[in-house]
Amino acid sequence: MDAEDFGSPIFVKRATYIVQEITSLADAIDFLNDWPEEQRDLIHQTALQACYDAEDGHKPVSAAHHAFIDFARQVAILEDSISAMQWIAACKKLRA
């Protein structure tokens, strides 16, 4: 496991039927940088800054992990990890 990996993945709704898995600081930073400018607010800025601070070694990765979860919860895109993992497993089974 890379030092910048999150201990457990975070699943967020990207669109109505699209769920994205966030597993690392790089994933979180990319997601936050892609967030629409008109929807950015203090919670977004806080999460992004926490990720950059963790990337630079000024904060633990766990602080960025929690900040990203708080952001996702606040903007109502946080997906239940158990449900998301079951859905992913079902999709993989259908492909096999």
Side-chain angles (χ1 to χ4, degrees), residues 15-88:
T16 305
Y17 296 107
I18 300 173
V19 173
Q20 183 174 345
E21 182 180 22
I22 307 295
T23 61
S24 66
L25 284 173
D27 290 347
I29 290 169
D30 287 346
F31 187 90
L32 291 166
N33 280 329
D34 287 344
W35 193 251
E37 295 228 10
E38 66 276 1
Q39 294 179 24
R40 295 179 184 190
D41 58 6
L42 184 58
I43 191 88
H44 171 274
Q45 184 59 36
T46 301
L48 186 58
Q49 190 61 53
C51 290
Y52 282 136
D53 287 347
E55 185 178 52
D56 292 339
H58 300 296
K59 284 189 178 182
V61 173
S62 61
H65 185 261
H66 291 298
F68 188 87
I69 289 173
D70 290 344
F71 162 76
R73 189 175 287 128
Q74 182 72 26
V75 297
I77 60 168
L78 186 63
E79 191 66 31
D80 174 57
S81 61
I82 293 172
S83 298
M85 292 173 109
Q86 289 172 341
W87 181 81
I88 290 168

